[in-house]
Amino acid sequence: MRAPSRVASALCVVIATTVLAGCTTNPPTEIALPPAGAAPDYQLGGAYPPPADVEIVVRDRAEPPADDVYSICYINAFQTQPAELADWPDELLLKDDKGNTVFDPAWPDEALLDAASDHNRDAIAEVVRPWIEGCAAAGYDAVEFDNLDTYARSDGALTFDDNLALAEQLVAIAHDAGLAAGQKNAAEDAAALRNGAGFDFAIAEECAAFDECDAYTDVYGDLVVAVEYSEAGEFRAACEDERMPPSAVLRDHELVAPGEMGYVFELCR
């Protein structure tokens, strides 16, 4: 883990022996931010030794962090992971007006979580909490929370404010565990998500392909990890665009490991 670059914790005012409401007597938690502009790798399809020059690695929470680099732990926090549907209480799965579980149209084995009430948000946060704390215990520096944009594909069943409220809870848990917290996608809401939930950095998939990189960098500066996919093409041209975040990588869409068919890895530099 890198040396902490900032402290992310609320300061308490203590008068004599009385601690003001909302404060804690625990010492501040030190949060290490990603190294700005560092070369990243996105290893969700399987862990492997990072290529030369890579300083940021993202891996699934089931994998150990990479050694001697800034490591980000991937958590699917707003919908279910494949093969984990049965691990979730049915009441936390979003239902349509016929009572059927709603699945992500792009990932039909992932069900959307129902974050539309305080009760459900609290319950979802308690399911995700041990995953976050497990990432910290394993030695990760940060977490990214995927699919926080489920409100955009729920046919109105979820709102932005619903997911923002859940994101705020998850970020607070991450910070309490000593982890930085990354916004995943949702470019159009980056400012509201950072200001409302307290995200520290962003991970942006295909921001060059969708011409939205500056929506992230306007909010997070160089603390944006851009992941482009080889199917979109024109990566070298995108690297020449001044709007491309300096932390950018080209990967194959399946994110396979070296030696597997289809593996692609390229940096802008």
Side-chain angles (χ1 to χ4, degrees), residues 167-251:
E168 185 175 7
Q169 288 182 263
L170 298 176
V171 170
I173 294 170
H175 286 170
D176 285 346
L179 300 172
Q183 172 190 332
K184 177 69 170 292
N185 295 332
E188 66 279 6
D189 294 316
L193 286 164
R194 186 174 199 187
N195 293 334
F199 284 110
D200 304 295
F201 65 97
I203 294 182
E205 289 180 298
E206 299 185 287
C207 72
F210 289 103
D211 194 26
E212 59 187 17
C213 292
D214 50 353
Y216 296 100
T217 56
D218 285 350
V219 175
Y220 293 99
D222 286 346
L223 295 180
V224 178
V225 176
V227 183
E228 299 293 318
Y229 293 112
S230 53
E231 291 84 351
E234 303 300 328
F235 182 64
R236 297 316 309 173
C239 289
E240 298 302 320
D241 190 324
E242 63 181 10
R243 295 173 297 174
M244 175 69 101
S247 291
V249 62
L250 180 70
R251 287 299 327 266

Side-chain angles (χ1 to χ4, degrees), residues 55-258:
E55 297 181 73
I56 299 173
V57 171
V58 183
R59 288 180 176 171
D60 186 82
R61 63 181 173 86
E63 300 284 357
D67 294 331
D68 302 321
V69 299
Y70 188 93
S71 289
I72 301 172
C73 190
Y74 170 93
I75 293 178
N76 200 352
F78 292 81
Q79 59 192 47
T80 66
Q81 279 286 78
E84 292 185 356
L85 182 63
D87 295 340
W88 285 90
D90 187 65
E91 68 172 12
L92 299 182
L93 303 179
L94 188 68
K95 304 296 193 298
D96 62 19
D97 55 7
K98 296 181 180 179
N100 298 315
T101 299
V102 178
F103 290 86
D104 186 329
W107 300 94
D109 54 356
E110 298 187 14
L112 276 61
L113 298 176
D114 185 355
S117 70
D118 289 339
H119 172 272
N120 279 17
R121 287 191 290 270
D122 290 345
I124 292 168
E126 288 310 305
V127 172
V128 177
R129 177 187 296 275
W131 302 347
I132 297 170
E133 294 173 346
C135 291
Y140 279 95
D141 301 288
V143 287
E144 65 151 302
F145 298 118
D146 199 10
N147 291 306
L148 61 84
D149 57 350
T150 51
Y151 55 87
R153 53 182 182 277
S154 67
D155 291 327
L158 298 173
T159 68
F160 170 76
D161 287 340
D162 292 334
N163 283 19
L164 175 62
L166 176 56
E168 185 175 7
Q169 288 182 263
L170 298 176
V171 170
I173 294 170
H175 286 170
D176 285 346
L179 300 172
Q183 172 190 332
K184 177 69 170 292
N185 295 332
E188 66 279 6
D189 294 316
L193 286 164
R194 186 174 199 187
N195 293 334
F199 284 110
D200 304 295
F201 65 97
I203 294 182
E205 289 180 298
E206 299 185 287
C207 72
F210 289 103
D211 194 26
E212 59 187 17
C213 292
D214 50 353
Y216 296 100
T217 56
D218 285 350
V219 175
Y220 293 99
D222 286 346
L223 295 180
V224 178
V225 176
V227 183
E228 299 293 318
Y229 293 112
S230 53
E231 291 84 351
E234 303 300 328
F235 182 64
R236 297 316 309 173
C239 289
E240 298 302 320
D241 190 324
E242 63 181 10
R243 295 173 297 174
M244 175 69 101
S247 291
V249 62
L250 180 70
R251 287 299 327 266
D252 55 281
H253 200 267
E254 299 303 314
L255 301 170
V256 300

